[in-house]
Amino acid sequence: MGIARTHAVALLGLTGALVEVEADISAQLPGMILIGLPDAALSQATQRVRAAAANSGCPLTIHRLTINLSPAALPKHGAGFDLAIALACLAADSTVSGESVGKVVHFGELALDGRLRPTPGILPGVMTAARLGHTTVMVPIGNEAEAGLVPDMRVIGVASLREAAIFHGAKLTPKPVEPILAAVTPDSLTAEPDLADVIGNDDAILALQIAAAGGHHVFLLGPPGAGKTMLAARLPGLLPDLDPVSSLEVSSLRSLSGLGLGGALITRPPWEAPHHTATAAAMVGGGGGQIRPGAASQASHGVLFLDEAPEFASPVLDALRQPLESGWISIHRANAVAHFPARFQLVMAANPCPCGKYGAGDLSCTCPPNARRRYLARISGPLLDRIDIQLNVKRITAAQLRVAAGTQRMTSVTARHRVVAARAAAAERLGSTPWTLNSQVPGPWLRGAPVRLAPSATAGLDRALERGGITMRGYDRVLRIAWTLADYDGLSIPGPDQVGQALYLRKGMTS
């Protein structure tokens, strides 16, 4: 009898810390004690481990077992420590090799029959182990493909505790078991809708392409049936494929959220559309125990769509103001702080009034003017001021429908090629700066000597600022859109036409 050690990983946000799992057997009254700041789910590991070990043919000792999760001051959450705890206990009793167990980082939740269940957060957990110098991990067979996405890492997939014990030297006869596999989530198999499906609303179609090219946020205002949701759903299809760093980040967020990855990283931008009853925790992340990413983080490097935006609670909308500026969400708890990326494109859609009929052709709106103002005032001015493109979307007419039937419309593939070319032009121009997209460039740099536009180009914009039609933040955002329009049109610098069009895209909702 003695002390045995192995390793696991405790995740906090997308980062993690290595946890040393120690097991000690002492000649005291029988029992099993788990210490080291575990949460409720982890505290119940003692019962799962004892039952799983007995049903796997390698029961734990009848003596007193003390399991310590070090560092003791670090909070530990979830059932992903089960396999490490079980193997440390077996190694302390010399059922398995303590030397072999000590060289491997273990992940996995145990079922009572000894099988291993797939565990959320395997990808960021294995990445943490690799970053801290470990080269071998043992994971449930359902997570083997996901863990194999981390380069230069030896991954051992096991279906049960019995298989894990045999790998570490236990003298047991192998027994076949039916493995528990990770479920395939259907949203990863859904095809992206095509831009060619949209009829009419040429201004909105152009606005989507400019938003994709520059990474700009969009607000669409219009009556029901105008096509706001249809337009927003096509924005991810206009975005280029994720680069390797972004792909790894998006895949890690998906893994941490408990959604299956399979054997490949995610290469297309994500799409998140939470319901208007979503809470602040559902939007930005949180949780009473383990901190989970919210919809804003899961939309990172993709699109966050808020349909019927005025129906969201005001605190939920205002919670997005800080990540819109910084690209990060920090969730503070009494004993920990979790950081999640939130570099998303926000698309909001709203009706012009509570009944939705205002400005809808021959339909009669029954809302008084003050009701319309109160309805849209649910979206705070500071949040709305952070939205680059604000456009009014109108219903199409029968004449537009007939004309569109015989015309060839732009597809998402064609638009994406132009978006990629525009982003490449912006990246080349911004090559000596820390930014890659026009939406990331701060106002002082845009108004500075290297790229300052001629007074003739900004004359209309200057007048709008003097009249109070836009704020200083809005002035800078118009300049960003103008540069995106120039990149999209293949121009080296915006002219009066691009600045005027950018001002329309910024103020089209009220023009």
Side-chain angles (χ1 to χ4, degrees):
M1 294 187 292
I3 297 178
R5 297 178 178 86
T6 186
H7 296 92
V9 170
L11 288 174
L12 186 61
L14 279 189
T15 60
L18 199 67
V19 173
E20 188 175 59
V21 182
E22 303 173 298
D24 174 65
I25 300 177
S26 56
Q28 300 179 19
L29 291 175
M32 191 173 181
I33 299 176
L34 181 63
I35 58 177
L37 213 58
D39 69 348
L42 182 51
S43 297
Q44 297 168 355
T46 56
Q47 306 302 319
R48 289 192 300 271
V49 167
R50 189 173 288 281
N55 291 324
S56 298
C58 46
L60 301 183
T61 177
I62 61 172
H63 297 285
R64 188 178 188 85
L65 269 167
T66 302
I67 302 102
N68 179 43
L69 307 178
S70 179
L74 179 71
K76 292 92 178 176
H77 305 281
F81 295 84
D82 288 4
L83 180 60
I85 292 171
L87 290 172
C89 293
L90 293 175
D93 199 25
S94 301
T95 303
V96 299
S97 168
E99 181 182 1
S100 175
V101 165
K103 294 178 180 178
V104 180
V105 181
H106 298 90
F107 301 84
E109 174 188 347
L110 285 170
L112 295 184
D113 61 359
R115 292 185 298 170
L116 280 166
R117 301 183 186 278
T119 304
I122 286 292
L123 181 59
V126 176
M127 289 172 58
T128 297
R131 176 172 53 83
L132 297 176
H134 288 265
T135 58
T136 307
V137 296
M138 180 176 285
V139 301
I141 196 73
N143 296 127
E144 185 177 12
E146 181 179 330
L149 296 173
V150 180
D152 302 323
M153 178 63 72
R154 182 190 177 197
V155 177
I156 304 160
V158 291
S160 65
L161 176 59
R162 188 183 186 92
E163 287 186 19
I166 291 172
F167 176 86
H168 287 301
K171 293 178 172 52
L172 298 172
T173 304
K175 288 185 179 180
V177 297
E178 183 179 353
I180 304 175
L181 301 179
V184 179
T185 49
D187 55 344
S188 62
L189 307 176
T190 304
E192 293 174 330
D194 201 298
L195 189 64
D197 298 334
V198 181
I199 298 175
N201 282 319
D202 293 339
D203 290 344
I205 291 175
L206 174 63
L208 276 188
Q209 297 172 65
I210 299 305
H216 304 287
H217 308 302
V218 183
F219 182 39
L220 301 174
L221 181 71
K228 304 184 297 295
T229 303
M230 186 178 188
L231 284 162
R234 277 141 185 82
L235 180 56
L238 308 185
L239 300 176
D241 290 339
L242 299 174
D243 60 65
V245 175
S246 301
S247 178
L248 198 58
E249 195 171 88
V250 171
S251 301
S252 296
L253 285 164
R254 185 180 180 87
S255 173
L256 196 60
S257 302
L259 303 176
L261 276 179
L265 294 174
I266 296 174
T267 59
R268 292 297 302 149
W271 159 267
E272 291 291 329
H275 192 260
H276 63 260
T277 56
T279 63
M283 185 66 71
V284 299
Q290 188 170 2
I291 302 174
R292 295 289 188 185
S297 293
Q298 294 175 30
S300 192
H301 302 290
V303 177
L304 176 65
F305 177 52
L306 305 184
D307 199 8
E308 306 295 345
E311 300 294 340
F312 282 81
S314 295
V316 176
L317 293 177
D318 289 337
L320 296 174
R321 285 158 56 177
Q322 185 264 340
L324 283 175
E325 293 288 342
S326 66
W328 286 92
I329 290 175
S330 298
I331 301 174
H332 295 255
R333 292 293 182 266
N335 53 5
V337 180
H339 302 282
F340 295 105
R343 302 180 185 89
F344 56 85
Q345 279 187 255
L346 177 63
V347 180
M348 295 196 300
N351 295 329
C353 65
C355 76
K357 298 177 182 179
Y358 182 72
D362 57 350
L363 297 179
S364 177
C365 174
T366 59
C367 305
N370 60 341
R372 296 197 295 268
R373 286 194 297 269
R374 283 199 306 268
Y375 183 70
L376 293 179
R378 296 178 183 177
I379 305 174
S380 67
L383 175 62
L384 198 58
D385 204 32
R386 287 170 167 82
I387 308 300
D388 297 356
I389 298 174
Q390 303 175 16
L391 202 62
N392 205 331
V393 181
K394 294 179 170 41
R395 288 178 175 174
I396 66 167
T397 63
Q400 289 175 315
L401 185 61
R402 285 193 297 270
V403 171
T407 59
Q408 187 173 4
R409 297 182 293 277
M410 180 177 289
T411 65
S412 292
V413 174
T414 303
R416 191 189 305 168
H417 289 322
R418 293 194 65 180
V419 167
V420 170
R423 288 196 173 200
E428 182 179 357
R429 185 180 66 255
L430 302 171
S432 59
T433 72
W435 316 295
T436 57
L437 294 173
N438 291 318
S439 60
Q440 301 168 349
V441 180
W445 193 87
L446 287 172
R447 291 178 268 111
V451 295
R452 185 170 54 230
L453 301 184
S456 59
T458 61
L461 181 58
D462 294 337
R463 286 194 298 271
L465 180 63
E466 291 170 359
R467 293 195 304 265
I470 58 172
T471 63
M472 196 64 224
R473 179 189 282 134
Y475 186 98
D476 292 338
R477 292 186 182 277
V478 171
L479 291 179
R480 294 175 184 174
I481 300 171
W483 275 103
T484 302
L485 283 163
D487 294 332
Y488 192 76
D489 293 336
L491 303 176
S492 59
I493 189 170
D497 291 342
Q498 282 71 41
V499 175
Q501 195 171 17
L503 185 59
Y504 169 72
L505 290 177
R506 170 72 180 176
K507 301 294 291 179
M509 190 178 71
T510 56
S511 60

